[in-house]
PDB file of all heavy atoms in Angstrom:
ATOM      1  N   PHE B   9      46.944-175.188 -28.698  1.00  0.00           N
ATOM      2  CA  PHE B   9      46.384-176.522 -28.844  1.00  0.00           C
ATOM      3  C   PHE B   9      45.837-176.680 -30.247  1.00  0.00           C
ATOM      4  O   PHE B   9      45.294-175.730 -30.830  1.00  0.00           O
ATOM      5  CB  PHE B   9      45.237-176.752 -27.836  1.00  0.00           C
ATOM      6  CG  PHE B   9      45.632-176.565 -26.421  1.00  0.00           C
ATOM      7  CD1 PHE B   9      45.355-175.377 -25.762  1.00  0.00           C
ATOM      8  CD2 PHE B   9      46.320-177.549 -25.724  1.00  0.00           C
ATOM      9  CE1 PHE B   9      45.728-175.172 -24.442  1.00  0.00           C
ATOM     10  CE2 PHE B   9      46.711-177.349 -24.415  1.00  0.00           C
ATOM     11  CZ  PHE B   9      46.416-176.167 -23.768  1.00  0.00           C
ATOM     12  N   TYR B  10      45.973-177.871 -30.806  1.00  0.00           N
ATOM     13  CA  TYR B  10      45.466-178.155 -32.163  1.00  0.00           C
ATOM     14  C   TYR B  10      44.761-179.480 -32.176  1.00  0.00           C
ATOM     15  O   TYR B  10      45.283-180.483 -31.675  1.00  0.00           O
ATOM     16  CB  TYR B  10      46.636-178.159 -33.167  1.00  0.00           C
ATOM     17  CG  TYR B  10      46.168-178.494 -34.567  1.00  0.00           C
ATOM     18  CD1 TYR B  10      45.320-177.640 -35.254  1.00  0.00           C
ATOM     19  CD2 TYR B  10      46.567-179.680 -35.164  1.00  0.00           C
ATOM     20  CE1 TYR B  10      44.871-177.967 -36.519  1.00  0.00           C
ATOM     21  CE2 TYR B  10      46.128-180.000 -36.446  1.00  0.00           C
ATOM     22  CZ  TYR B  10      45.277-179.145 -37.123  1.00  0.00           C
ATOM     23  OH  TYR B  10      44.834-179.462 -38.379  1.00  0.00           O
ATOM     24  N   CYS B  11      43.561-179.490 -32.753  1.00  0.00           N
ATOM     25  CA  CYS B  11      42.777-180.716 -32.909  1.00  0.00           C
ATOM     26  C   CYS B  11      42.753-181.067 -34.388  1.00  0.00           C
ATOM     27  O   CYS B  11      42.043-180.413 -35.177  1.00  0.00           O
ATOM     28  CB  CYS B  11      41.361-180.480 -32.386  1.00  0.00           C
ATOM     29  SG  CYS B  11      40.278-181.906 -32.635  1.00  0.00           S
ATOM     30  N   PRO B  12      43.536-182.074 -34.800  1.00  0.00           N
ATOM     31  CA  PRO B  12      43.596-182.438 -36.213  1.00  0.00           C
ATOM     32  C   PRO B  12      42.264-182.843 -36.816  1.00  0.00           C
ATOM     33  O   PRO B  12      41.927-182.486 -37.935  1.00  0.00           O
ATOM     34  CB  PRO B  12      44.589-183.621 -36.250  1.00  0.00           C
ATOM     35  CG  PRO B  12      45.333-183.540 -34.972  1.00  0.00           C
ATOM     36  CD  PRO B  12      44.432-182.886 -33.979  1.00  0.00           C
ATOM     37  N   GLU B  13      41.464-183.605 -36.051  1.00  0.00           N
ATOM     38  CA  GLU B  13      40.187-184.102 -36.579  1.00  0.00           C
ATOM     39  C   GLU B  13      39.255-182.965 -36.963  1.00  0.00           C
ATOM     40  O   GLU B  13      38.482-183.075 -37.923  1.00  0.00           O
ATOM     41  CB  GLU B  13      39.475-185.007 -35.567  1.00  0.00           C
ATOM     42  CG  GLU B  13      40.207-186.284 -35.238  1.00  0.00           C
ATOM     43  CD  GLU B  13      41.109-186.176 -34.006  1.00  0.00           C
ATOM     44  OE1 GLU B  13      41.570-185.057 -33.662  1.00  0.00           O
ATOM     45  OE2 GLU B  13      41.363-187.212 -33.391  1.00  0.00           O
ATOM     46  N   LYS B  14      39.288-181.910 -36.230  1.00  0.00           N
ATOM     47  CA  LYS B  14      38.405-180.765 -36.465  1.00  0.00           C
ATOM     48  C   LYS B  14      39.105-179.599 -37.152  1.00  0.00           C
ATOM     49  O   LYS B  14      38.480-178.576 -37.427  1.00  0.00           O
ATOM     50  CB  LYS B  14      37.781-180.265 -35.155  1.00  0.00           C
ATOM     51  CG  LYS B  14      36.941-181.280 -34.437  1.00  0.00           C
ATOM     52  CD  LYS B  14      35.666-181.563 -35.181  1.00  0.00           C
ATOM     53  CE  LYS B  14      34.761-182.499 -34.399  1.00  0.00           C
ATOM     54  NZ  LYS B  14      33.464-182.662 -35.019  1.00  0.00           N
ATOM     55  N   ARG B  15      40.420-179.765 -37.411  1.00  0.00           N
ATOM     56  CA  ARG B  15      41.233-178.687 -37.996  1.00  0.00           C
ATOM     57  C   ARG B  15      40.991-177.375 -37.245  1.00  0.00           C
ATOM     58  O   ARG B  15      40.760-176.328 -37.834  1.00  0.00           O
ATOM     59  CB  ARG B  15      40.968-178.540 -39.494  1.00  0.00           C
ATOM     60  CG  ARG B  15      41.450-179.741 -40.306  1.00  0.00           C
ATOM     61  CD  ARG B  15      41.331-179.584 -41.784  1.00  0.00           C
ATOM     62  NE  ARG B  15      42.164-178.529 -42.351  1.00  0.00           N
ATOM     63  CZ  ARG B  15      43.437-178.682 -42.747  1.00  0.00           C
ATOM     64  NH1 ARG B  15      44.032-179.835 -42.611  1.00  0.00           N
ATOM     65  NH2 ARG B  15      44.102-177.664 -43.280  1.00  0.00           N
ATOM     66  N   THR B  16      41.034-177.508 -35.927  1.00  0.00           N
ATOM     67  CA  THR B  16      40.716-176.396 -35.059  1.00  0.00           C
ATOM     68  C   THR B  16      41.843-176.140 -34.061  1.00  0.00           C
ATOM     69  O   THR B  16      42.389-177.060 -33.473  1.00  0.00           O
ATOM     70  CB  THR B  16      39.403-176.662 -34.287  1.00  0.00           C
ATOM     71  OG1 THR B  16      38.348-176.820 -35.233  1.00  0.00           O
ATOM     72  CG2 THR B  16      39.063-175.533 -33.349  1.00  0.00           C
ATOM     73  N   ILE B  17      42.125-174.852 -33.880  1.00  0.00           N
ATOM     74  CA  ILE B  17      43.129-174.387 -32.940  1.00  0.00           C
ATOM     75  C   ILE B  17      42.419-173.780 -31.750  1.00  0.00           C
ATOM     76  O   ILE B  17      41.413-173.099 -31.911  1.00  0.00           O
ATOM     77  CB  ILE B  17      44.019-173.316 -33.612  1.00  0.00           C
ATOM     78  CG1 ILE B  17      44.804-173.937 -34.772  1.00  0.00           C
ATOM     79  CG2 ILE B  17      44.908-172.622 -32.610  1.00  0.00           C
ATOM     80  CD1 ILE B  17      45.342-172.916 -35.730  1.00  0.00           C
ATOM     81  N   ILE B  18      42.946-174.029 -30.550  1.00  0.00           N
ATOM     82  CA  ILE B  18      42.454-173.353 -29.349  1.00  0.00           C
ATOM     83  C   ILE B  18      43.593-172.507 -28.838  1.00  0.00           C
ATOM     84  O   ILE B  18      44.693-173.006 -28.596  1.00  0.00           O
ATOM     85  CB  ILE B  18      42.014-174.363 -28.259  1.00  0.00           C
ATOM     86  CG1 ILE B  18      40.874-175.230 -28.762  1.00  0.00           C
ATOM     87  CG2 ILE B  18      41.585-173.584 -26.994  1.00  0.00           C
ATOM     88  CD1 ILE B  18      40.477-176.360 -27.805  1.00  0.00           C
ATOM     89  N   GLU B  19      43.318-171.223 -28.714  1.00  0.00           N
ATOM     90  CA  GLU B  19      44.310-170.265 -28.214  1.00  0.00           C
ATOM     91  C   GLU B  19      43.826-169.698 -26.898  1.00  0.00           C
ATOM     92  O   GLU B  19      42.667-169.293 -26.784  1.00  0.00           O
ATOM     93  CB  GLU B  19      44.518-169.126 -29.203  1.00  0.00           C
ATOM     94  CG  GLU B  19      45.395-169.482 -30.372  1.00  0.00           C
ATOM     95  CD  GLU B  19      46.836-169.733 -29.976  1.00  0.00           C
ATOM     96  OE1 GLU B  19      47.444-168.870 -29.345  1.00  0.00           O
ATOM     97  OE2 GLU B  19      47.344-170.799 -30.316  1.00  0.00           O
ATOM     98  N   ILE B  20      44.705-169.667 -25.921  1.00  0.00           N
ATOM     99  CA  ILE B  20      44.403-169.034 -24.642  1.00  0.00           C
ATOM    100  C   ILE B  20      44.986-167.624 -24.704  1.00  0.00           C
ATOM    101  O   ILE B  20      46.201-167.468 -24.851  1.00  0.00           O
ATOM    102  CB  ILE B  20      44.954-169.830 -23.462  1.00  0.00           C
ATOM    103  CG1 ILE B  20      44.325-171.219 -23.426  1.00  0.00           C
ATOM    104  CG2 ILE B  20      44.693-169.073 -22.148  1.00  0.00           C
ATOM    105  CD1 ILE B  20      44.874-172.117 -22.350  1.00  0.00           C
ATOM    106  N   ASP B  21      44.128-166.648 -24.611  1.00  0.00           N
ATOM    107  CA  ASP B  21      44.557-165.254 -24.739  1.00  0.00           C
ATOM    108  C   ASP B  21      44.652-164.598 -23.374  1.00  0.00           C
ATOM    109  O   ASP B  21      43.659-164.482 -22.658  1.00  0.00           O
ATOM    110  CB  ASP B  21      43.566-164.465 -25.601  1.00  0.00           C
ATOM    111  CG  ASP B  21      43.533-164.948 -27.046  1.00  0.00           C
ATOM    112  OD1 ASP B  21      44.507-165.601 -27.466  1.00  0.00           O
ATOM    113  OD2 ASP B  21      42.558-164.663 -27.757  1.00  0.00           O
ATOM    114  N   GLY B  22      45.856-164.181 -23.057  1.00  0.00           N
ATOM    115  CA  GLY B  22      46.109-163.441 -21.816  1.00  0.00           C
ATOM    116  C   GLY B  22      46.383-161.993 -22.116  1.00  0.00           C
ATOM    117  O   GLY B  22      46.178-161.509 -23.249  1.00  0.00           O
ATOM    118  N   VAL B  23      46.909-161.293 -21.162  1.00  0.00           N
ATOM    119  CA  VAL B  23      47.163-159.843 -21.312  1.00  0.00           C
ATOM    120  C   VAL B  23      48.232-159.551 -22.364  1.00  0.00           C
ATOM    121  O   VAL B  23      48.208-158.476 -22.955  1.00  0.00           O
ATOM    122  CB  VAL B  23      47.561-159.177 -19.972  1.00  0.00           C
ATOM    123  CG1 VAL B  23      46.409-159.175 -19.010  1.00  0.00           C
ATOM    124  CG2 VAL B  23      48.776-159.838 -19.384  1.00  0.00           C
ATOM    125  N   THR B  24      49.126-160.487 -22.659  1.00  0.00           N
ATOM    126  CA  THR B  24      50.161-160.196 -23.655  1.00  0.00           C
ATOM    127  C   THR B  24      49.553-159.982 -25.039  1.00  0.00           C
ATOM    128  O   THR B  24      50.138-159.292 -25.872  1.00  0.00           O
ATOM    129  CB  THR B  24      51.191-161.358 -23.746  1.00  0.00           C
ATOM    130  OG1 THR B  24      50.506-162.555 -24.100  1.00  0.00           O
ATOM    131  CG2 THR B  24      51.933-161.530 -22.435  1.00  0.00           C
ATOM    132  N   HIS B  25      48.390-160.556 -25.289  1.00  0.00           N
ATOM    133  CA  HIS B  25      47.744-160.378 -26.594  1.00  0.00           C
ATOM    134  C   HIS B  25      47.261-158.939 -26.797  1.00  0.00           C
ATOM    135  O   HIS B  25      47.048-158.511 -27.932  1.00  0.00           O
ATOM    136  CB  HIS B  25      46.597-161.373 -26.781  1.00  0.00           C
ATOM    137  CG  HIS B  25      47.087-162.759 -26.982  1.00  0.00           C
ATOM    138  ND1 HIS B  25      47.339-163.276 -28.230  1.00  0.00           N
ATOM    139  CD2 HIS B  25      47.379-163.744 -26.110  1.00  0.00           C
ATOM    140  CE1 HIS B  25      47.784-164.517 -28.111  1.00  0.00           C
ATOM    141  NE2 HIS B  25      47.821-164.828 -26.828  1.00  0.00           N
ATOM    142  N   ASP B  26      47.091-158.199 -25.717  1.00  0.00           N
ATOM    143  CA  ASP B  26      46.667-156.799 -25.813  1.00  0.00           C
ATOM    144  C   ASP B  26      47.698-155.954 -26.545  1.00  0.00           C
ATOM    145  O   ASP B  26      47.381-154.916 -27.109  1.00  0.00           O
ATOM    146  CB  ASP B  26      46.411-156.205 -24.428  1.00  0.00           C
ATOM    147  CG  ASP B  26      45.277-156.877 -23.696  1.00  0.00           C
ATOM    148  OD1 ASP B  26      44.453-157.569 -24.355  1.00  0.00           O
ATOM    149  OD2 ASP B  26      45.188-156.739 -22.459  1.00  0.00           O
ATOM    150  N   TYR B  27      48.948-156.391 -26.534  1.00  0.00           N
ATOM    151  CA  TYR B  27      50.029-155.606 -27.109  1.00  0.00           C
ATOM    152  C   TYR B  27      50.511-156.166 -28.446  1.00  0.00           C
ATOM    153  O   TYR B  27      51.484-155.661 -28.995  1.00  0.00           O
ATOM    154  CB  TYR B  27      51.211-155.566 -26.122  1.00  0.00           C
ATOM    155  CG  TYR B  27      50.782-155.083 -24.764  1.00  0.00           C
ATOM    156  CD1 TYR B  27      50.620-155.984 -23.706  1.00  0.00           C
ATOM    157  CD2 TYR B  27      50.489-153.743 -24.528  1.00  0.00           C
ATOM    158  CE1 TYR B  27      50.208-155.554 -22.454  1.00  0.00           C
ATOM    159  CE2 TYR B  27      50.079-153.304 -23.272  1.00  0.00           C
ATOM    160  CZ  TYR B  27      49.930-154.209 -22.245  1.00  0.00           C
ATOM    161  OH  TYR B  27      49.508-153.788 -21.021  1.00  0.00           O
ATOM    162  N   LYS B  28      49.857-157.194 -28.959  1.00  0.00           N
ATOM    163  CA  LYS B  28      50.304-157.843 -30.190  1.00  0.00           C
ATOM    164  C   LYS B  28      49.199-157.924 -31.228  1.00  0.00           C
ATOM    165  O   LYS B  28      49.100-158.883 -31.952  1.00  0.00           O
ATOM    166  CB  LYS B  28      50.791-159.259 -29.906  1.00  0.00           C
ATOM    167  CG  LYS B  28      51.774-159.435 -28.801  1.00  0.00           C
ATOM    168  CD  LYS B  28      52.315-160.829 -28.704  1.00  0.00           C
ATOM    169  CE  LYS B  28      51.244-161.906 -28.678  1.00  0.00           C
ATOM    170  NZ  LYS B  28      51.760-163.250 -28.503  1.00  0.00           N
ATOM    171  N   ALA B  29      48.366-156.920 -31.312  1.00  0.00           N
ATOM    172  CA  ALA B  29      47.192-156.949 -32.204  1.00  0.00           C
ATOM    173  C   ALA B  29      47.574-157.207 -33.656  1.00  0.00           C
ATOM    174  O   ALA B  29      46.960-158.047 -34.320  1.00  0.00           O
ATOM    175  CB  ALA B  29      46.386-155.677 -32.067  1.00  0.00           C
ATOM    176  N   ASN B  30      48.572-156.517 -34.178  1.00  0.00           N
ATOM    177  CA  ASN B  30      48.959-156.702 -35.579  1.00  0.00           C
ATOM    178  C   ASN B  30      49.512-158.107 -35.820  1.00  0.00           C
ATOM    179  O   ASN B  30      49.173-158.740 -36.819  1.00  0.00           O
ATOM    180  CB  ASN B  30      49.980-155.654 -36.011  1.00  0.00           C
ATOM    181  CG  ASN B  30      49.379-154.283 -36.137  1.00  0.00           C
ATOM    182  OD1 ASN B  30      48.156-154.148 -36.313  1.00  0.00           O
ATOM    183  ND2 ASN B  30      50.187-153.271 -36.031  1.00  0.00           N
ATOM    184  N   TYR B  31      50.356-158.577 -34.923  1.00  0.00           N
ATOM    185  CA  TYR B  31      50.913-159.934 -35.045  1.00  0.00           C
ATOM    186  C   TYR B  31      49.793-160.965 -35.022  1.00  0.00           C
ATOM    187  O   TYR B  31      49.763-161.877 -35.849  1.00  0.00           O
ATOM    188  CB  TYR B  31      51.900-160.174 -33.891  1.00  0.00           C
ATOM    189  CG  TYR B  31      52.389-161.601 -33.804  1.00  0.00           C
ATOM    190  CD1 TYR B  31      53.466-162.031 -34.570  1.00  0.00           C
ATOM    191  CD2 TYR B  31      51.787-162.513 -32.929  1.00  0.00           C
ATOM    192  CE1 TYR B  31      53.925-163.326 -34.475  1.00  0.00           C
ATOM    193  CE2 TYR B  31      52.239-163.813 -32.853  1.00  0.00           C
ATOM    194  CZ  TYR B  31      53.305-164.234 -33.620  1.00  0.00           C
ATOM    195  OH  TYR B  31      53.740-165.521 -33.533  1.00  0.00           O
ATOM    196  N   ASP B  32      48.885-160.807 -34.068  1.00  0.00           N
ATOM    197  CA  ASP B  32      47.772-161.765 -33.936  1.00  0.00           C
ATOM    198  C   ASP B  32      46.883-161.761 -35.184  1.00  0.00           C
ATOM    199  O   ASP B  32      46.413-162.802 -35.616  1.00  0.00           O
ATOM    200  CB  ASP B  32      46.929-161.463 -32.689  1.00  0.00           C
ATOM    201  CG  ASP B  32      47.621-161.890 -31.407  1.00  0.00           C
ATOM    202  OD1 ASP B  32      48.614-162.633 -31.469  1.00  0.00           O
ATOM    203  OD2 ASP B  32      47.163-161.464 -30.328  1.00  0.00           O
ATOM    204  N   LYS B  33      46.666-160.579 -35.749  1.00  0.00           N
ATOM    205  CA  LYS B  33      45.835-160.481 -36.962  1.00  0.00           C
ATOM    206  C   LYS B  33      46.489-161.211 -38.132  1.00  0.00           C
ATOM    207  O   LYS B  33      45.845-161.969 -38.837  1.00  0.00           O
ATOM    208  CB  LYS B  33      45.578-159.014 -37.294  1.00  0.00           C
ATOM    209  CG  LYS B  33      44.641-158.828 -38.471  1.00  0.00           C
ATOM    210  CD  LYS B  33      44.364-157.365 -38.709  1.00  0.00           C
ATOM    211  CE  LYS B  33      43.430-157.202 -39.903  1.00  0.00           C
ATOM    212  NZ  LYS B  33      43.155-155.801 -40.177  1.00  0.00           N
ATOM    213  N   GLU B  34      47.785-160.958 -38.347  1.00  0.00           N
ATOM    214  CA  GLU B  34      48.512-161.631 -39.413  1.00  0.00           C
ATOM    215  C   GLU B  34      48.491-163.146 -39.239  1.00  0.00           C
ATOM    216  O   GLU B  34      48.301-163.909 -40.179  1.00  0.00           O
ATOM    217  CB  GLU B  34      49.967-161.166 -39.459  1.00  0.00           C
ATOM    218  CG  GLU B  34      50.154-159.780 -39.999  1.00  0.00           C
ATOM    219  CD  GLU B  34      51.611-159.334 -39.967  1.00  0.00           C
ATOM    220  OE1 GLU B  34      52.507-160.208 -39.938  1.00  0.00           O
ATOM    221  OE2 GLU B  34      51.837-158.115 -39.999  1.00  0.00           O
TER     222      GLU B  34
END
């Protein structure tokens, strides 16, 4: 999700993010 007015992203993090630490960091 992206809110242009606030230049803010909302990310929902599930279990798949546990295996993508380097990708998420970049």
Side-chain angles (χ1 to χ4, degrees):
F9 302 99
Y10 177 65
C11 177
E13 296 93 335
K14 298 291 185 174
R15 292 186 65 87
T16 299
I17 295 162
I18 299 173
E19 281 293 305
I20 299 176
D21 294 340
V23 293
T24 60
H25 288 270
D26 295 343
Y27 308 103
K28 309 186 310 183
N30 289 337
Y31 172 84
D32 285 346
K33 184 177 180 180
E34 287 178 22

